[in-house]
Amino acid sequence: MQTALFQSMQPDLASLERYTSLKAKLASFLRRQMQQMEKVEQAEDLKDALEDLFAALAADCFRLAVLGQFKRGKSSLMNAILGKALLPTGVLPLTSVVTTIKYGPKAQAIIEKEGLLLPKQIEFSQLAEYITEKGNPSNEQKVRRAEIELPLPFLRRGVEFVDTPGVGSSIAANTAATREFLPKCDAALFVTGADAPLNEAELDFLCEVGEAAPQIFFIINKIDAISPSERQEVAEFCAAAVKKRLGRDLPIFAVSARQGLLAKDEGSEEEYAQSGIKALEEDLAKFLAKRRSKVMLIKLSKKAQDIWQQFLALGVAEDDGLGLELQSFEKILRGEIDLPQKSIILPQAPALSEHLVHTISEDGWLGEAAWHTTGCPICQHLSDTCFAFFRQWQYALEKDAAARQEFVSGGGYCQMHTWQFVNILSPYAASLIYSDLAQNVVLQMKKKLSDGEKDIANLVIDKEHCSICAMLEEEQAKCLKELSESLLQEAGRVRYFASQGICLNHLHKLLPLISDSSFSKALIEHAASYLAQAVEDMQTFALKHEAIAHKRENIEEKDAYYRAVTRLAGSAKQSL
């Protein structure tokens, strides 16, 4: 049986694109703050706080906590939503440890205890020994983390459900653990019971939850314990009490977690709807798909503004306008002003940044050391030139948004130079640099589709339009001219013939510059002699050694940049 969460939690591409843009914008603000604080010793604590914000933004995690008094059926509700009785339930106060349900490639339970170096994987049947009051009273086993990982689609988008111990029981440690978790939750499922709904202590705790969680779903569980006529009365009572205490309305759902789980087990759509779980899941799905990203980004944006104001208060820097930009960003998140539409940048081939090109060394490639190589001196010089440019350009692209805009406007490089560049980048740098380029290509492809176009030739950067190729062609011509001139001198000839010379590709391009035909013949004979020697060496080596097979590991979230670049520039193997 496919439940409402499975049915409704399909990707909304328009919302996802907007969320991705907003997330990238907030990340750029955090990077600017970090750059300002880099050399300020007084800002160490603020830098740590910024790193935590970065981590939260990168994790894209949204914690939906299940909260309420003890014995309200919180764990039973989670089981009903998950469609499987994974969390222990019972008559006595049960949950003693905060337990997180999150996405994982396979179903497993993980326990982390104080004093143990590594987390421990356990069977689901063993959970009660670690997270219940009976198996682990007052958390005497010092369990720091209890997690259930499940390969469920609606959890894959960073949603985490958190089952908490009930408050208000005689077990003070359970109440303390729940209250300690409150600041970490992004939204809450507040659970009361239809058999004894919403006492004064619950209302007090609900107020605490309201201060921590911007979104609350109010749930009346155990409606199967009262008659149908009483259910409406209980719902109206709870709605009035909540409105009076919080000063606002909350979405209220009357459910039977027990009946909901049973309905899923039996595959009964009718019972599933009657249990109230379907209506709850449908509203949850809408919230998680549409509004949860807004709630999380507003929360992180407010923290970023607070950190920035604390930094300015140190008196070591002036506001460069970032404060106002953060305020405007929060207004965009709240819908008070519109998000500026990102323009589509059509590929062109801008001149490479002059300050980078001019720092590449053009001296010394014809020096004595260059000819003591087993390779081609011209190839080596061009490779060094390209590498030097990439290294400097990489730094600029990581630090400077204007440089990234220049890179995007150029459409990237040809296939070969794309992979040469990517191979010197870390996964972080590649993701940062190529995400803007890939996003721009996506926008252009969508525009072509909407305009009825099917030609994507201008999205592919070939050698003719690659700015790196153009730079190296110019450098290569300069090298060949310098070499031809040096071979007119006796010292230049002696140096050349004492070496292994240049590769056939560059020899082919050098020969038209040599006017003396007998000297051209000598250059070809020299190349053939060294190539024949290389053949002998390879044959000898092949007799003495066996080939070694190499295997490649693929990691799903770490190689995202690799998959993106492969689609932008083709397979890396084709550029070798």
Side-chain angles (χ1 to χ4, degrees):
M1 174 180 174
Q2 195 172 48
T3 65
L5 277 176
F6 282 95
Q7 294 168 336
S8 303
M9 281 295 290
Q10 301 301 318
D12 179 336
L13 295 181
S15 297
L16 192 58
E17 286 177 5
R18 176 182 170 85
Y19 172 58
T20 301
S21 298
L22 291 170
K23 185 177 174 183
K25 187 67 174 175
L26 180 55
S28 70
F29 289 142
L30 298 182
R31 290 189 191 99
R32 284 172 58 186
Q33 286 181 263
M34 191 66 75
Q35 288 171 14
Q36 290 271 26
M37 299 179 188
E38 271 182 357
K39 298 180 181 180
V40 180
E41 293 183 4
Q42 306 97 302
E44 287 300 325
D45 290 343
L46 296 179
K47 281 186 277 188
D48 290 342
L50 264 185
E51 288 176 359
D52 289 342
L53 280 191
F54 259 121
L57 188 63
D60 203 4
C61 172
F62 190 85
R63 295 186 178 94
L64 193 58
V66 185
L67 301 162
Q69 261 196 334
F70 71 102
K71 295 315 301 166
R72 294 306 199 189
K74 297 184 299 299
S75 297
S76 297
L77 178 67
M78 276 310 312
N79 286 338
I81 290 174
L82 296 173
K84 191 170 184 179
L86 295 176
L87 296 169
T89 59
V91 177
L92 299 175
L94 206 65
T95 306
S96 64
V97 174
V98 173
T99 305
T100 301
I101 298 95
K102 61 192 294 188
Y103 178 81
K106 65 177 183 178
Q108 62 179 351
I110 298 171
I111 297 294
E112 183 180 304
K113 297 171 67 173
E114 291 182 17
L116 290 183
L117 188 61
L118 297 173
K120 177 182 180 181
Q121 184 176 338
I122 63 171
E123 299 294 331
F124 287 115
S125 59
Q126 297 176 288
L127 273 171
E129 300 173 21
Y130 297 93
I131 69 172
T132 67
E133 191 57 35
K134 182 178 180 180
N136 182 19
S138 298
N139 193 19
E140 63 183 15
Q141 295 188 53
K142 305 297 182 184
V143 175
R144 287 192 302 192
R145 179 169 66 98
E147 290 185 351
I148 295 174
E149 295 185 355
L150 299 170
L152 298 180
F154 70 89
L155 296 176
R156 190 181 182 92
R157 297 179 69 188
V159 176
E160 293 184 358
F161 282 96
V162 184
D163 189 30
T164 63
V167 300
S169 73
S170 59
I171 305 164
N174 290 356
T175 298
T178 299
R179 284 200 162 97
E180 184 180 345
F181 179 78
L182 276 182
K184 302 175 185 177
C185 73
D186 299 301
L189 302 180
F190 190 92
V191 185
T192 189
D195 51 345
L198 211 57
N199 58 39
E200 192 66 24
E202 283 179 288
L203 282 169
D204 290 340
F205 182 54
L206 179 61
C207 290
E208 293 182 51
V209 174
E211 293 177 1
Q215 176 71 31
I216 301 174
F217 295 84
F218 190 91
I219 298 162
I220 306 169
N221 193 15
K222 305 182 182 180
I223 59 171
D224 53 315
I226 60 176
S227 67
S229 61
E230 292 175 311
R231 294 174 188 176
Q232 183 64 31
E233 185 180 344
V234 169
E236 291 175 355
F237 166 78
C238 289
V242 167
K243 177 69 177 290
K244 181 178 180 180
R245 182 60 69 93
L246 291 186
R248 59 188 172 106
D249 293 318
L250 294 180
I252 294 180
F253 302 88
V255 307
S256 169
R258 185 185 64 82
Q259 289 183 350
L261 179 58
L262 184 62
K264 289 183 180 181
D265 284 339
E266 296 177 349
S268 173
E269 290 287 349
E270 183 179 354
E271 292 292 330
Y272 172 49
Q274 289 179 358
S275 71
I277 294 296
K278 180 179 181 181
L280 170 62
E281 288 184 351
E282 286 176 341
D283 211 62
L284 271 176
K286 291 176 184 176
F287 170 75
L288 293 173
K290 300 284 187 181
R291 307 198 303 274
R292 69 102 173 177
S293 55
K294 175 180 177 180
V295 170
M296 186 185 75
L297 288 176
I298 288 175
K299 183 176 180 180
L300 295 180
S301 175
K302 290 179 71 67
K303 288 184 178 180
Q305 291 180 62
D306 182 57
I307 291 172
W308 183 243
Q309 292 304 317
Q310 291 182 57
F311 176 66
L312 294 179
L314 295 175
V316 294
E318 294 184 1
D319 193 344
D320 62 353
L322 181 56
L324 288 175
E325 290 183 60
L326 281 167
Q327 291 176 20
S328 296
F329 180 69
E330 186 177 341
K331 290 181 179 179
I332 290 173
L333 293 175
R334 295 186 182 279
E336 297 173 18
I337 57 177
D338 291 332
L339 174 68
Q341 291 296 315
K342 189 164 184 174
S343 60
I344 297 177
I345 307 167
L346 295 176
Q348 49 185 308
L352 296 175
S353 303
E354 292 184 4
H355 68 284
L356 293 173
V357 175
H358 290 167
T359 59
I360 296 174
S361 174
E362 298 176 357
D363 302 322
W365 85 268
L366 271 175
E368 191 71 30
W371 297 96
H372 292 165
T373 177
T374 57
C376 170
I378 296 180
C379 287
Q380 186 60 52
H381 173 68
L382 294 179
S383 176
D384 291 344
T385 299
C386 188
F387 183 79
F389 172 80
F390 280 153
R391 276 298 182 206
Q392 295 172 73
W393 193 221
Q394 170 195 358
Y395 180 81
L397 289 172
E398 286 190 42
K399 300 292 184 181
D400 187 0
R404 286 197 294 276
Q405 184 77 355
E406 179 183 347
F407 177 70
V408 171
S409 69
Y413 309 129
C414 68
Q415 182 182 22
M416 180 178 69
H417 289 124
T418 291
W419 282 109
Q420 286 182 355
F421 189 30
V422 168
N423 285 337
I424 72 168
L425 300 176
S426 67
Y428 159 74
S431 299
L432 178 67
I433 292 168
Y434 275 91
S435 61
D436 286 347
L437 177 60
Q439 185 180 39
N440 189 57
V441 170
V442 169
L443 291 172
Q444 292 179 62
M445 292 174 77
K446 289 186 175 182
K447 186 176 186 302
K448 286 178 178 293
L449 288 173
S450 66
D451 293 343
E453 294 184 31
K454 297 180 180 178
D455 183 10
I456 60 170
N458 70 323
L459 301 183
V460 180
I461 303 299
D462 54 21
K463 289 183 176 294
E464 184 180 350
H465 298 93
C466 174
S467 54
I468 301 296
C469 286
M471 177 185 74
L472 294 180
E473 284 284 350
E474 182 179 342
E475 190 68 19
Q476 176 182 257
K478 187 186 301 181
C479 289
L480 290 169
K481 184 175 184 296
E482 290 176 357
L483 177 56
S484 66
E485 292 174 350
S486 75
L487 291 175
L488 295 175
Q489 309 296 322
E490 181 65 23
R493 295 189 182 204
V494 170
R495 182 174 55 201
Y496 185 91
F497 285 109
S499 74
Q500 295 189 35
I502 57 179
C503 69
L504 291 183
N505 176 51
H506 287 123
L507 179 59
H508 162 68
K509 295 174 180 177
L510 174 67
L511 291 175
L513 303 178
I514 305 297
S515 57
D516 187 339
S517 60
S518 61
F519 186 59
S520 294
K521 181 181 178 180
L523 288 173
I524 295 173
E525 289 175 344
H526 173 268
S529 173
Y530 271 99
L531 190 57
Q533 181 180 324
V535 170
E536 292 178 9
D537 290 340
M538 286 188 289
Q539 291 173 340
T540 302
F541 179 83
L543 291 173
K544 293 182 178 179
H545 297 273
E546 295 180 353
I548 300 174
H550 295 278
K551 296 181 180 179
R552 179 182 296 169
E553 292 183 353
N554 292 315
I555 302 174
E556 185 178 350
E557 290 186 349
K558 192 175 181 180
D559 73 350
Y561 76 92
Y562 186 93
R563 298 195 304 275
V565 173
T566 297
R567 282 155 181 78
L568 289 171
S571 170
K573 292 182 179 179
Q574 295 179 25
S575 66
L576 298 179

